[in-house]
Amino acid sequence: MRKVYHRIESVAGNVISVKAPEVKYSELAMVTSARGESLAQVIRLDRDMVYLQVFAGSRGIATDASVRFLGHEMQVSFSDNLLGRVFTGSGEPRDRGPTLTENVIEIAGPSVNPAQRIIPRNMVRTGIPMIDVFNTLVESQKLPIFSIAGEPYNPLLGRIALQAEVDAIILGGMGLKHDDYLYFRDRLDDEGALARSVMFIHTAADPTVECLMVPDLCLAVAEKFALQDQRVLVLLTDMTNYCDALKEVAITMEQIPSNRGYPGDLYTQLARRYEKAVDFETAGSITVLAATTMPGDDVTHPIPDNTGYITEGQFYLRNGRIEPFGSLSRLKQQVNGDTRDDHRTIMNTMIQLFADYRETLEKQSMGFRMSNWDSKLLKYGDRFEREMMDLSVNIPLEQALDRGWRILADCFAPEETGIHSELVEQFWPQDAAVESSERKFGDSTTP
């Protein structure tokens, strides 16, 4: 039986302090006051002085409230009964379903031993051409989606949750508006994907400390599913809200701030979560996609800046599309050489021509005369944006590659693309609208 303490030394914001020996960092406690009971978590230790963040807030807690330490950190029940359920950031049911208590596991454990990891080798298909073709998602990869407020990063994550070829989806929401929570829940339910999903949702109205626990809850559950030989995709939104919660707690604790007021261990806190992504040698895998909004669209802000040193690339979401320039999957070469012979060629050729299209737009905006080659690039760029970049496009990888060939054939002659003749003979559409004999370099004024 754990000892109960009946004297609160101080109350600062939602943080209370009590003198108690032999208490561990992150240990849970039950705080009982005139308002009722609330969980609290140890967030700082100073010899025998223990500081706890109260989940329900400190309003109504007097100095004679009682604190009973539970002797363990945050725990969550794990079983197949989690699938199809929605929980809060403290692991309590949000969907009015029964509380799960069997097979309790602790969260926030260490990352997987590198000796148990294997080199990533499997593609995660999403049905989104800007991912599957140009920045392929790979099992065990950790990737952020850099965006700004107002961009459709939550709908993008919702589409990935519905279409990704994985066994289980673990969705963690931090600081979500209630409408966003309902969007995820209803979309997954309507499309039949909720049955393979687990949701841990912290809304903007919930206690700050629950926001800090959402990633750990998601990753602890994901690891157990992965050890059951399942391919698990963890979707987190929004990691900026998570970092702001870290900042809020650090300010309450009067910690010395680092860059722009964020705690000095921001990098470590992010790395502890992202490094949970793993491909087990004898089991399944964990892949992590995390939306990160950039204040002021500033990639040098501490949150995206620190994130970029940890993750294996990034997706940039701008103007409702995944931007091809700046977006990067550093592991795509591990898999796109085994999908189809033309995958890498289509990827490189279309991006190069799209870069030329962007240059042509600049020339056009400055009033330069458009050459025949410029006209082709303008036609190509419009087709590329509508038929490949638009996030409403939903087609398998092979169909996306075929569409790439069709767009090239409708806009250019084969020799204008620079593609090797062997691939042209194998994949160039036979009924191409633009015939090679009619489109020579000399006629098109190609640079």
Side-chain angles (χ1 to χ4, degrees):
M1 181 69 179
R2 303 287 292 185
K3 186 175 180 181
V4 179
Y5 298 86
H6 294 281
R7 177 176 175 80
I8 305 296
E9 299 294 333
S10 66
V11 179
N14 293 326
V15 177
I16 63 174
S17 62
V18 60
K19 285 186 177 180
E22 300 180 0
V23 174
K24 298 185 300 182
Y25 183 77
S26 294
E27 185 174 338
L28 290 181
M30 183 64 70
V31 180
T32 304
S33 66
R35 292 189 61 198
E37 292 186 332
S38 172
L39 281 175
Q41 186 178 41
V42 177
I43 59 173
R44 181 185 175 191
L45 295 172
D46 185 1
R47 298 180 182 177
D48 286 347
M49 188 65 72
V50 181
Y51 297 84
L52 303 102
Q53 178 97 5
V54 183
F55 284 26
S58 62
R59 183 178 179 183
I61 296 179
T63 56
D64 61 350
S66 66
V67 178
R68 177 170 59 89
F69 291 94
L70 304 182
H72 60 78
E73 298 181 20
M74 184 63 193
Q75 298 175 327
V76 63
S77 171
F78 173 77
S79 69
D80 289 341
N81 294 328
L82 285 173
L83 296 172
R85 297 294 305 278
V86 184
F87 301 90
T88 67
S90 59
E92 296 297 320
R94 188 181 285 275
D95 55 6
R96 300 181 181 178
T99 300
L100 302 180
T101 57
E102 73 275 14
N103 192 26
V104 174
I105 60 173
E106 290 197 357
I107 70 171
S111 299
V112 176
N113 188 328
Q116 294 182 302
R117 301 168 181 253
I118 60 175
I119 297 175
R121 59 191 178 192
N122 297 314
M123 173 183 176
V124 178
R125 292 171 175 255
T126 66
I128 301 173
M130 291 308 296
I131 297 177
D132 291 354
V133 176
F134 300 99
N135 281 296
T136 312
L137 182 62
V138 184
E139 274 189 47
S140 81
Q141 196 165 14
K142 44 190 180 290
L143 279 178
I145 300 174
F146 288 155
S147 177
I148 59 173
E151 291 287 351
Y153 52 89
N154 284 330
L156 174 60
L157 287 178
R159 273 196 60 196
I160 293 173
L162 293 175
Q163 300 171 188
E165 294 184 1
V166 293
D167 300 314
I169 298 288
I170 314 296
L171 175 64
M174 292 158 282
L176 290 184
K177 295 186 294 185
H178 195 69
D179 288 348
D180 290 331
Y181 154 57
L182 294 178
Y183 166 79
F184 280 119
R185 187 197 65 184
D186 296 343
R187 182 82 189 274
L188 293 177
D189 193 19
D190 293 342
E191 300 292 337
L194 191 59
R196 64 166 182 163
S197 304
V198 184
M199 299 174 63
F200 293 95
I201 301 297
H202 167 268
T203 67
D206 293 334
T208 300
V209 69
E210 291 188 13
C211 180
L212 298 178
M213 290 190 292
V214 167
D216 293 331
L217 286 166
C218 292
L219 293 164
V221 170
E223 188 170 288
K224 290 297 182 180
F225 277 121
L227 290 172
Q228 293 182 350
D229 203 24
Q230 297 197 43
R231 304 167 68 197
V232 185
L233 178 61
V234 178
L235 304 175
L236 301 173
T237 178
D238 168 5
M239 289 302 287
T240 297
N241 291 331
Y242 169 79
C243 295
D244 287 342
L246 287 174
K247 179 180 179 180
E248 180 179 332
V249 172
I251 291 173
T252 302
M253 291 286 85
E254 298 181 351
Q255 295 179 9
I256 298 175
S258 181
N259 192 1
R260 303 200 195 184
Y262 288 90
D265 65 344
L266 178 63
Y267 176 91
T268 302
Q269 296 289 352
L270 290 171
R272 284 181 59 192
R273 278 79 195 175
Y274 281 115
E275 290 299 334
K276 290 281 189 172
V278 61
D279 198 345
F280 289 100
E281 185 175 8
T282 57
S285 63
I286 302 173
T287 307
V288 178
L289 271 180
T292 300
T293 51
M294 300 184 295
D297 200 17
D298 180 11
V299 75
T300 67
H301 186 276
I303 299 173
D305 186 40
N306 280 279
T307 300
Y309 287 104
I310 302 166
T311 54
E312 294 142 347
Q314 66 280 322
F315 295 145
Y316 278 98
L317 190 61
R318 289 199 176 100
N319 301 318
R321 297 167 175 169
I322 295 177
E323 179 66 31
F325 307 118
S327 296
L328 174 64
S329 169
R330 293 192 179 97
L331 299 185
K332 63 185 177 183
Q333 69 273 10
Q334 301 289 110
V335 297
N336 62 13
D338 301 323
T339 50
R340 210 169 80 172
D341 292 342
D342 60 328
H343 188 163
R344 290 180 176 176
T345 298
I346 283 292
M347 174 183 69
N348 294 331
T349 301
M350 296 196 79
I351 291 299
Q352 177 59 57
L353 289 170
F354 190 71
D356 294 341
Y357 159 73
R358 287 279 177 88
E359 292 181 1
T360 296
L361 285 181
E362 292 183 7
K363 290 168 56 179
Q364 187 180 48
S365 66
M366 292 186 287
F368 283 83
R369 177 182 295 178
M370 294 292 100
S371 65
N372 189 31
W373 174 249
D374 290 326
S375 299
K376 295 179 184 180
L377 287 173
L378 291 173
K379 177 183 177 182
Y380 165 77
D382 178 68
R383 292 279 302 272
F384 184 85
E385 289 179 339
R386 286 188 292 107
E387 300 178 37
M388 300 292 273
M389 287 182 67
D390 197 301
L391 290 180
S392 65
V393 178
N394 176 25
I395 52 179
L397 170 66
E398 291 75 16
Q399 189 175 338
L401 293 173
D402 292 339
R403 178 175 294 187
W405 282 106
R406 169 55 61 186
I407 294 173
L408 291 175
D410 288 348
C411 299
F412 307 104
E415 59 269 24
E416 292 175 315
T417 63
I419 298 176
H420 198 280
S421 58
E422 291 182 0
L423 288 176
V424 170
E425 293 173 2
Q426 183 178 358
F427 294 103
W428 196 267
Q430 297 301 312
D431 59 342
V434 180
E435 298 296 335
S436 174
S437 59
E438 299 175 359
R439 299 293 184 98
K440 300 297 183 182
F441 281 98
D443 298 332
S444 61
T445 63
T446 306

